[in-house]
Amino acid sequence: MIKNSIKNFVLPFSMCVLMALALYPDSSLDPEMYSTEGLELDFNISGDLASLSDDQISNHKMFSPYLGKSFEGFKEALAFKESRGDYFTVNTLGYLGKYQFGAETLKLIGIYDPNNFLYNPELQEKAFVANTERNKWVLRKDIKRFEGKYIGGVEITESGILAAAHLAGPGSVKKFLRSYGKQNLSDAYGSSVKYYMKKFSGYDTSMITPNKKARVTL
């Protein structure tokens, strides 16, 4: 609490001093009178977040209070789960970037150079949208059939379906839904279709248009 109070005081105070210097350059205001000496200013936000559990991250207001359940909120929440939002990471299985794409999935949306993809944030963002459009087309009938129902205590929503499709592919999501949860595929790190259905439920993904032939173009 004390640390947060200091942090909340220092930034506004510093801004006031700078504004005064800019507005009154010839005044007798002496910047040497103002010092942050002795205050703890070394805040490692990424380190703080790394220590949180998934449930704490989901409820943590610092994780962008303005995105909420918007599509941007959906993208960033999913990206944080996949890679902590790191565009340039490669996991132990070779999945790439902020959203952890596999090479075969990239080919489906027209990307054939994984190395270029890894170092191109704009391409990664467009790839996420294109892949989500494609998955929504593949799962369009299942979304219509199952949205609003409960399977294994989890409410089925469009965003949950699309997140699970990003994790395990649309085919695995179809199997989960049509078996009413009996076929619940997990990835190599233990995340399951059902878990993603629950974790990413209730976001607004209405802006995504189903597109069988979705491709990435720059």
Side-chain angles (χ1 to χ4, degrees):
M1 177 67 79
I2 293 174
K3 180 178 180 180
N4 288 335
S5 297
I6 293 172
K7 181 167 56 176
N8 292 334
F9 167 78
V10 169
L11 182 58
F13 178 75
S14 300
M15 291 297 294
C16 289
V17 172
L18 291 173
M19 289 176 65
L21 288 171
L23 292 172
Y24 305 104
D26 298 324
S27 71
S28 59
L29 184 62
D30 182 4
E32 295 299 323
M33 295 172 58
Y34 303 92
S35 172
T36 56
E37 183 178 356
L39 297 180
E40 183 182 358
L41 303 177
D42 184 17
F43 302 103
N44 188 340
I45 292 175
S46 61
D48 292 341
L49 286 177
S51 67
L52 299 179
S53 67
D54 282 340
D55 288 338
Q56 288 172 317
I57 289 168
S58 297
N59 297 318
H60 204 284
K61 292 184 179 180
M62 202 171 81
F63 177 72
S64 195
Y66 303 106
L67 298 180
K69 289 292 185 176
S70 67
F71 179 67
E72 288 298 320
F74 173 70
K75 282 201 313 171
E76 294 306 316
L78 185 56
F80 194 84
K81 173 60 180 169
E82 293 290 316
S83 71
R84 296 192 180 275
D86 186 350
Y87 284 109
F88 310 112
T89 190
V90 180
N91 76 4
T92 58
L93 299 176
Y95 288 83
L96 306 164
K98 180 177 177 179
Y99 301 102
Q100 293 292 278
F101 276 95
E104 294 305 311
T105 299
L106 291 176
K107 290 177 183 177
L108 292 175
I109 53 176
I111 298 173
Y112 300 96
D113 185 344
N115 191 61
N116 177 54
F117 172 79
L118 182 62
Y119 294 102
N120 191 329
E122 181 183 0
L123 189 60
Q124 292 188 34
E125 294 295 339
K126 291 190 173 185
F128 180 82
V129 172
N131 189 55
T132 306
E133 289 175 343
R134 179 181 175 278
N135 286 338
K136 189 168 180 177
W137 184 88
V138 174
L139 292 161
R140 65 197 186 284
K141 294 180 181 178
D142 295 275
I143 291 170
K144 183 176 180 179
R145 176 182 174 186
F146 290 100
E147 189 173 20
K149 295 183 178 180
Y150 284 80
I151 294 178
V154 175
E155 182 180 5
I156 305 304
T157 67
E158 180 179 285
S159 62
I161 287 174
L162 295 177
H166 183 83
L167 171 76
S172 297
V173 174
K174 284 187 177 186
K175 290 178 182 178
F176 173 86
L177 294 171
R178 297 178 186 185
S179 69
Y180 288 87
K182 292 180 180 178
Q183 297 188 48
N184 182 28
L185 181 73
S186 296
D187 70 4
Y189 301 104
S191 294
S192 68
V193 168
K194 180 179 178 180
Y195 173 73
Y196 266 49
M197 288 270 192
K198 180 179 180 180
K199 185 173 181 63
F200 300 104
S201 67
Y203 287 88
D204 182 4
T205 52
S206 59
M207 67 161 289
I208 293 296
T209 303
N211 184 357
K212 180 181 181 180
K213 297 181 180 180
R215 296 292 185 274
V216 175
T217 56
L218 285 177

